[in-house]
């Protein structure tokens, strides 16, 4: 408590002290009451009611047993009295949280959405790599999506278009390797601008995949993002601690770009890029925030990353950059650890490889930091990939909250719901109705057992559903019921910025 200066001059008598304690207690009770006021609008039956759950809302930091009424996909009642509904969910003993919002999910098809839903994710956004055709991307998922979806305009895609390389997930030809001409940079700017006019949520960057993209080229892309108030979701230019070319230098580049252009910056998977430098990167971001720069970041709870073996990340010298060797790479398709021979063989064909470059201490420090959000960086293809796709959120709640006590349940849920919603809501106003439990908010819910929630996916078996998530609702529709995924239901809606916004 901060006392006014004049009051501080007088010594506190015992009476005054007791009075203050009573006042403190009284204000706490009042605060608790106003932060989660019981509300009920009518007695008509709701489409869905969720009864007796431990309702946690990170925005008001309230945590209390309440009943919820939902109609037309929206929260209509938050009450201590019994509510009637056509569908009744008994959430006794379970936590009722806003649905988890994943800012970094590459896999955006039915297979991936199933695993996200079973991990509690109700909104999955592809903001790092993004796409080159916003309209086509949204059209492909219209009325066909289990969960809410959205995408950024990608610098990688813009570069592939400008350099006439066929569009792929990551560039491997000219767009990956050479510097751009001024004309090509102009073409990339136009590509991003078109995407933003068509409602792209953000602008995505994978600078490490385009090592010859100049600092000027990156600044030019940030300038476009700034004009549209779009956050730049950046996989930074360098990883690790080795200078020159450290992750610290890479973070300086993008914080500078944000300061120069005014574009909001979001640094993706800080722990896998930072490695041992992660605490320093987190300090730099906290300092930039204290100077009023709009900089945020995210992490995922695993000691290995995963990427394409053909990408520029594995160019000459990668062992030194990551501080690892062939044995620290695991071929995703078979689970085998690599050797010098198999590395060069697979490098020719391409494919996903897990990179064991982090320690548990680094990962825990990143998850605990008050400035990180949780985001998965997930993608599964025919059941192959990284366990983070299916287990990121349940792993944080089971391992880091319940088992390790590394952070509180409230703080963990804040990183999964409110913080990602706030990251995007200036450009995408509909995000103001996500990540919160309040009247009028979207009825996206994740309802789980905090005592049993656990990730089951592993590096050997990445396609295993998490357990302990009992019910998931997307826009008021049950997609997980009694721990079982529901079939033939597609309540997911687009998360998209207003068209032609400027
Ligand atoms: Zn990345």
């Amino acid at each position: 408590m901060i006392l006014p200066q004049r009051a501080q001059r007088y010594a506190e008598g015992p009476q005054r002290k007791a009075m203050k304690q009573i006042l403190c207690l009284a204000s706490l009770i009042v605060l608790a009451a106003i932060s989660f006021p019981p509300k009920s609008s009518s007695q008509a039956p709701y489409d869905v009611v969720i009864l007796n759950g431990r309702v946690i809302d990170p925005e008001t930091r309230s945590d209390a047993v309440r009943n919820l009424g939902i109609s037309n996909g929206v929260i209509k009642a938050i009450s201590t009295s019994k509510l009637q509904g056509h569908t009744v969910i008994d959430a006794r003993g379970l936590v009722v949280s806003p649905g988890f919002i994943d800012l970094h999910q590459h896999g955006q098809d039915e297979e991936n959405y199933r695993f996200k839903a079973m991990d509690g994710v109700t909104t999955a956004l592809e903001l790092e790599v993004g796409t080159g055709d916003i309209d086509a991307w949204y059209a492909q998922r219209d009325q066909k999506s289990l969960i809410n979806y959205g995408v950024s305009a990608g610098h990688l895609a813009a570069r592939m278009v400008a350099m006439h390389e066929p569009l792929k997930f990551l560039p491997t030809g000219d767009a990956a390797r050479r510097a751009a001409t001024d004309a090509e940079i102009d073409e990339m700017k136009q590509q991003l601008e078109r995407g933003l006019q068509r409602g792209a949520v953000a602008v995505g960057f994978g600078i490490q995949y385009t090592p010859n993209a100049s600092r000027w080229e990156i600044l030019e892309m940030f300038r476009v993002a700034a004009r549209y108030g779009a956050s730049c979701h950046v996989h930074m230019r360098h990883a690790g601690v080795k200078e020159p070319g450290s992750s610290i230098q890479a973070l300086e580049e993008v914080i500078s770009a944000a300061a120069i252009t005014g574009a909001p910056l979001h640094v993706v998977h800080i722990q896998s890029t930072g490695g041992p430098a992660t605490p320093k990167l987190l300090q730099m971001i906290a300092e930039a925030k204290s100077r009023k720069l709009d900089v945020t970041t995210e992490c995922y709870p695993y000691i290995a990353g995963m990427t394409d073996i053909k990408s520029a990340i594995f160019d000459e010298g990668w062992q030194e950059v990551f501080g690892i060797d062939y044995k620290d790479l695991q071929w995703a398709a078979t689970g085998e650890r690599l050797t010098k021979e198999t590395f060069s063989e697979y490098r020719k064909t391409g494919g996903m490889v897990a990179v064991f470059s982090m320690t548990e201490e680094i990962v825990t420090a990143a998850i605990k930091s008050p400035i990180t959000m949780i985001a998965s960086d997930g993608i599964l293809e025919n059941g192959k990939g990284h366990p983070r796709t299916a287990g990121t959120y349940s792993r944080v709640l089971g391992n880091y909250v319940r088992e390790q006590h590394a952070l509180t349940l409230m703080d963990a849920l804040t990183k999964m719901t409110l913080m990602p919603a706030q990251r995007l809501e200036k450009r995408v106003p509909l995000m103001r109705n996500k990540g919160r439990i309040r009247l009028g908010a979207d009825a996206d819910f994740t309802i789980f057992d905090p005592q049993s929630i656990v990730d089951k996916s592993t590096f050997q078996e990445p396609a295993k559903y998490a357990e302990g998530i009992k019910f998931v609702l997307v826009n008021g529709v049950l997609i997980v019921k009694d721990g079982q995924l529901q079939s033939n239901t597609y309540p997911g809606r687009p998360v998209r910025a207003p068209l032609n916004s400027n």
Side-chain angles (χ1 to χ4, degrees):
M1 177 183 274
I2 299 164
L3 289 171
Q5 265 190 342
R6 194 180 302 173
Q8 279 176 340
R9 281 194 222 135
Y10 303 97
E12 283 188 26
Q15 247 185 341
R16 192 184 164 86
K17 217 168 173 179
M19 193 60 193
K20 254 176 62 189
Q21 277 165 356
I22 292 165
L23 278 175
C24 269
L25 196 65
S27 59
L28 261 179
I29 293 165
V30 170
L31 249 177
I34 56 170
S35 62
F36 223 153
K39 277 178 193 158
S40 160
S41 50
S42 80
Q43 287 310 302
Y46 298 97
D47 295 349
V48 181
V49 292
I50 303 170
L51 304 181
N52 308 312
R54 178 182 164 194
V55 176
I56 298 185
D57 173 46
E59 188 170 44
T60 52
R61 296 190 79 76
S62 44
D63 178 346
V65 173
R66 290 285 182 269
N67 300 317
L68 302 173
I70 297 155
S71 284
N72 300 318
V74 170
I75 302 172
K76 299 285 194 188
I78 304 172
S79 177
T80 48
S81 46
K82 180 120 203 256
L83 303 174
Q84 305 295 322
H86 297 296
T87 300
V88 178
I89 296 169
D90 181 11
R92 195 177 298 270
L94 304 177
V95 168
V96 180
S97 165
F100 305 154
I101 300 167
D102 190 347
L103 295 184
H104 194 152
Q105 167 64 22
H106 298 297
Q108 292 279 340
D109 55 17
E110 190 150 356
E111 177 190 13
N112 280 272
Y113 291 160
R114 286 200 300 269
F115 285 95
K116 304 313 291 185
M118 290 296 282
D119 198 30
V121 173
T122 53
T123 300
L125 308 172
E126 156 60 293
L127 302 185
E128 180 206 44
V129 169
T131 185
D133 188 338
I134 298 295
D135 284 329
W137 194 93
Y138 281 103
Q140 274 165 16
R141 290 158 186 83
D142 187 33
Q143 315 288 328
K144 288 183 222 154
S145 180
L146 187 64
I147 58 177
N148 303 313
Y149 51 92
V151 75
S152 67
H155 169 242
L156 292 172
R159 212 168 199 268
M160 286 185 261
V161 170
M163 295 190 174
H164 308 289
E165 182 174 326
L167 273 174
K168 292 188 297 290
F169 179 57
L170 296 175
T172 50
D174 262 13
R177 312 228 164 254
R178 73 168 169 82
T181 63
D182 287 348
E184 285 165 341
I185 292 176
D186 277 346
E187 173 61 29
M188 290 177 221
K189 285 163 67 179
Q190 283 172 34
Q191 288 288 325
L192 292 187
E193 180 130 27
R194 207 166 303 143
L196 288 163
Q197 285 173 351
R198 297 309 300 161
V201 169
V203 176
F205 293 83
I207 311 177
Q208 200 175 14
Y209 299 104
T210 58
N212 287 313
S214 67
R215 271 89 184 155
W216 183 257
E217 176 180 328
I218 300 303
L219 265 181
E220 285 284 75
M221 303 306 131
F222 268 63
R223 288 188 181 101
V224 176
R227 280 209 301 281
Y228 289 82
S231 44
C232 294
H233 294 243
V234 183
H235 175 132
M236 297 194 295
R237 188 181 292 278
H238 308 297
V241 289
K242 187 175 162 276
E243 297 283 13
S246 70
S247 57
I248 292 169
Q249 186 185 2
L251 183 55
E252 284 178 346
E253 176 188 10
V254 285
I255 290 178
S256 298
I260 291 164
T261 64
L265 168 66
H266 181 83
V267 178
V268 303
H269 50 54
I270 189 115
Q271 88 299 350
S272 67
T273 297
T278 302
K280 292 176 180 146
L281 302 186
L282 289 169
Q283 184 185 341
M284 288 166 72
I285 292 173
E287 286 164 342
K289 284 166 86 76
S290 77
R291 304 215 175 272
K292 305 276 181 278
L293 286 176
D294 185 359
V295 185
T296 54
T297 190
E298 61 173 55
C299 63
Y300 58 78
Y302 294 89
I303 58 165
M306 182 172 281
T307 196
D308 194 319
I309 198 167
K310 260 183 133 173
S311 72
I313 284 178
F314 291 107
D315 286 356
E316 197 68 33
W318 60 269
Q319 293 101 320
E320 223 184 329
V321 165
F322 290 110
I324 56 172
D325 212 339
Y326 298 107
K327 66 171 177 9
D328 300 306
L329 302 180
Q330 185 178 21
W331 190 239
T334 59
E336 71 189 276
R337 292 297 177 120
L338 297 192
T339 62
K340 191 170 192 291
E341 291 69 40
T342 51
F343 176 85
S344 32
E345 202 176 298
Y346 289 137
R347 180 120 161 115
K348 279 178 222 139
T349 56
M352 296 307 254
V353 66
V355 188
F356 285 83
S357 60
M358 287 162 271
T359 65
E360 199 47 65
E361 290 70 46
I362 294 166
V363 172
T364 305
I367 291 170
K368 280 173 79 158
S369 162
I371 63 172
T372 55
M373 303 173 201
I374 305 299
S376 74
D377 196 4
I379 181 167
L380 281 179
E381 284 173 310
N382 302 318
K384 299 290 179 201
H386 191 296
R388 63 195 175 199
T389 312
T392 286
Y393 293 85
S394 45
R395 185 170 172 79
V396 169
L397 295 169
N399 185 35
Y400 293 92
V401 174
R402 184 182 61 237
E403 305 297 332
Q404 313 284 343
H405 302 288
L407 72 174
T408 65
L409 181 56
M410 178 68 79
D411 287 344
L413 293 177
T414 303
K415 291 164 174 279
M416 300 172 175
T417 61
L418 182 66
M419 286 167 72
Q422 288 174 329
R423 165 73 289 177
L424 301 176
E425 66 192 16
K426 279 197 207 110
R427 172 158 170 80
V428 186
L430 67 83
M431 293 305 287
R432 291 182 193 136
N433 284 324
K434 296 200 181 294
R436 289 101 165 158
I437 297 183
R438 60 158 161 69
L439 294 182
D442 295 341
D444 296 340
F445 291 104
T446 299
I447 303 174
F448 62 94
D449 178 359
Q451 300 309 320
S452 70
I453 189 166
V454 65
D455 58 306
K456 290 293 190 181
S457 53
T458 62
F459 284 94
Q460 285 71 38
E461 292 186 279
K464 293 195 90 175
Y465 289 141
E467 289 177 9
I469 295 195
K470 303 295 185 189
F471 300 92
V472 179
L473 290 92
V474 171
N475 298 305
V477 177
L478 268 169
I479 61 165
V480 174
K481 186 180 173 189
D482 297 318
Q484 301 297 316
L485 200 62
Q486 304 298 288
S487 49
N488 297 319
T489 177
Y490 302 99
R493 291 187 196 150
V495 169
R496 195 167 178 171
L499 301 191
N500 302 312
S501 62
N502 196 340

